[in-house]
Amino acid sequence: MFRRLMIAPALAVLALLPAVPALAQDGPLRIEITDGVIEPMSIAIPAFHGDAEIAARVRQVVADNLTGTGLFREIAPEAHPARQASFTEAVSYEDWRAVNAQALVSAEVRQMGDSISVRFRLFDIVSGQPQGDGMQLDARAADWRRAAHKIADQIYVRLTGERPYFDSRIAFVQETGPKSARIKRIGVMDYDGANILWMTDSSSLVLAPKFSPDGRRLLFTSYGSGFPQIQIMDVATVSARPLTTDPNAMAFAPTFSPDGRWVAYSREQGGNTDIWLMDVATGTQRALTNSPAIDTSPGFSPDGRRIVFESDRSGTPQLYIMGLDGGEPTRISFGEGRYGTPAWSPKGDLIAFTKQIGDRFHIATMRTDGSGERMLTESFLDEGPTWAPNGRVVMFTRVTPGGTGQPRLHSVDITGRNMRPMNLDFAASDPSWGPLLP
């Protein structure tokens, strides 16, 4: 666990840096993220000062985080001008302009026993001035990756104006063995695939983990009893307990409300599936839907007042929205094909979902009124989108065709750009993106 991570206010030494006249510019350097073509910002991330080994590792994670967004293009080290003699030496803006750098990251990493201290600054090369205050982070040496993610998050916020997402975790299902006898277990990892922790063993089938809003608990569907039921797990202690136990009803596809108090899930009994709501503390339950159709895959709105879900009440699977106080659901999907596994954006403006047209699957988004449908992906089988904490990136499962086909995790920007596979050396599915870590 991350025992100590302190972000100090602006370093006193930064105030001693010589003043540099700003060039004409209307505001701070800012990358424009639009729906159109985006030209990546050129950013220089020279070797960090300080203790060489740990400094190099922190620098690489920062560079990978930023360039992995597709919004930044790192200037090759061999093109860099002469290196600063120290972290506090003044920046030669002219030298960096000569290699077409728009932004520069300068940092120093020092290790003291089992602790590290990271100082960093961001410079607007175009205007010739620092971009915001310098900052210092102190952490356990074992948590150097989190320190790197925190730095990258700060840079991302300053250069995009959007909320960050690098210092977050993802729950997933690892899959091994043949399709006819697949073995599955739940893991939790950093957003970039590092620091994997296993939450369950391979003794029983588990599906669809979902993080709580504070990232401290996980919901998942377990076949440990031979019948699908929902369990809730404390992530820190890796201890789980059953949340549903009715032997006459299957319970699956659970998700937390934004305040963590409620769990919405699918309950099948007698051939009929409806959406149910449970108070986690008391176990009190009630049905949200009451229809002969298959109602499943609930997802809460960010304010917790509504849910979006999948239902075939119109004849084919479509998406519906309804309030938690009941009432008639409103259908929001009317396009060609079948709609499923909806997930409400943290910003509240979009719903991501799986769409099947013929034998092709897509990850797509639409506004909450059903307008503005946009396809982000297309493949043999894409499914199960989950949102990054900032609502700009979606992660999903892509399955390759054939008898040896395997599921893999991929991410894509909401504009449909920058689709990337996760760097994992095993098959994985069912991602659930947790919140930013404190």
Side-chain angles (χ1 to χ4, degrees):
M1 295 295 292
F2 201 66
R3 191 173 58 191
R4 191 164 74 100
L5 175 60
M6 182 182 70
I7 301 178
L11 297 170
V13 67
L14 299 181
L16 302 177
L17 289 174
V20 179
L23 300 181
Q25 183 171 282
D26 293 335
L29 186 65
R30 182 66 59 84
I31 190 169
E32 295 293 333
I33 305 174
T34 68
D35 290 346
V37 176
I38 299 171
E39 180 64 26
M41 176 184 289
S42 58
I43 187 168
I45 313 174
F48 289 176
H49 298 278
D51 297 317
E53 182 177 351
I54 187 70
R57 284 189 284 170
V58 171
R59 194 210 77 87
Q60 191 60 54
V61 171
V62 171
D64 290 345
N65 284 177
L66 295 174
T67 57
T69 64
L71 301 175
F72 304 94
R73 175 180 61 82
E74 184 182 2
I75 296 177
E78 53 269 26
H80 291 183
R83 187 178 185 228
Q84 290 174 272
S86 70
F87 173 69
T88 56
E89 183 177 283
V91 169
S92 174
Y93 292 99
E94 286 299 328
D95 289 346
W96 288 107
R97 288 188 195 110
V99 297
N100 296 318
Q102 294 174 279
L104 167 69
V105 177
S106 177
E108 178 184 67
V109 184
R110 295 289 183 187
Q111 183 164 358
M112 298 145 289
D114 62 356
S115 299
I116 62 168
S117 180
V118 184
R119 298 191 294 171
F120 85 95
R121 300 179 295 179
L122 177 65
F123 295 93
D124 179 345
I125 299 300
V126 177
S127 67
Q129 58 188 345
Q131 177 118 345
D133 295 329
M135 303 189 79
Q136 177 171 332
L137 297 91
D138 297 315
R140 295 190 317 170
D143 294 321
W144 65 270
R145 289 187 63 87
R146 282 207 60 198
H149 290 321
K150 287 289 188 189
I151 294 172
D153 276 338
Q154 285 294 318
I155 296 168
Y156 182 87
V157 169
R158 294 181 187 189
L159 294 180
T160 68
E162 297 206 344
R163 294 185 65 233
Y165 63 92
F166 302 129
D167 190 28
S168 60
R169 293 189 293 182
I170 292 168
F172 63 96
V173 173
Q174 183 201 42
E175 302 194 19
T176 57
K179 285 185 174 180
S180 58
R182 197 57 62 88
I183 297 172
K184 300 187 179 186
R185 61 173 172 167
I186 293 173
V188 170
M189 61 186 174
D190 292 356
Y191 104 97
D192 58 359
N195 291 330
I196 295 175
L197 300 173
W198 297 111
M199 298 287 109
T200 63
D201 58 26
S202 304
S203 60
S204 61
L205 182 65
V206 288
L207 301 171
K210 284 289 192 307
F211 264 119
S212 62
D214 61 7
R216 296 178 178 176
R217 295 174 293 173
L218 278 176
L219 295 169
F220 61 96
T221 302
S222 171
Y223 283 73
S225 65
F227 206 60
Q229 295 291 346
I230 297 169
Q231 297 205 13
I232 186 169
M233 170 178 285
D234 183 288
V235 174
T237 62
V238 196
S239 57
R241 64 178 175 84
L243 204 59
T244 60
T245 56
D246 186 344
N248 299 311
M250 292 190 290
F252 53 95
T255 189
F256 278 104
S257 61
D259 62 5
R261 175 182 176 183
W262 304 96
V263 169
Y265 68 98
S266 301
R267 185 176 188 271
E268 192 277 341
Q269 187 171 23
N272 178 246
T273 303
D274 280 305
I275 306 294
W276 281 60
L277 191 66
M278 173 187 287
D279 185 323
V280 177
T282 67
T284 304
Q285 302 183 57
R286 63 182 173 91
L288 283 179
T289 65
N290 183 15
S291 148
I294 298 175
D295 297 337
T296 187
S297 300
F300 282 92
S301 60
D303 63 8
R305 296 179 179 177
R306 295 177 291 170
I307 62 165
V308 60
F309 64 98
E310 168 190 339
S311 175
D312 66 355
R313 61 186 63 198
S314 65
T316 59
Q318 300 291 334
L319 303 185
Y320 292 79
I321 286 178
M322 67 177 295
L324 293 190
D325 54 357
E328 190 64 23
T330 299
R331 179 176 169 179
I332 62 170
S333 63
F334 292 93
E336 179 187 4
R338 303 159 66 92
Y339 294 75
T341 65
W344 213 308
S345 161
K347 293 181 178 179
D349 56 342
L350 295 173
I351 291 171
F353 53 92
T354 303
K355 182 169 183 175
Q356 181 187 6
I357 303 177
D359 61 356
R360 304 297 288 174
F361 282 75
H362 309 261
I363 300 299
T365 61
M366 64 170 62
R367 300 187 187 97
T368 57
D369 63 1
S371 65
E373 183 173 315
R374 168 183 285 177
M375 304 291 191
L376 305 181
T377 74
E378 177 182 358
S379 85
F380 166 73
L381 178 53
D382 288 346
E383 62 181 357
T386 180
W387 289 93
N390 69 349
R392 170 148 289 275
V393 180
V394 172
M395 184 168 287
F396 60 97
T397 303
R398 169 165 289 184
V399 182
T400 52
T404 59
Q406 297 283 352
R408 298 284 178 181
L409 303 185
H410 287 64
S411 64
V412 65
D413 186 277
I414 59 171
T415 64
R417 299 174 61 254
N418 196 40
M419 191 173 72
R420 291 172 176 260
M422 284 288 294
N423 185 26
L424 300 173
D425 59 2
F426 52 78
S429 64
D430 296 14
S432 171
W433 210 318
L436 275 179
L437 298 173

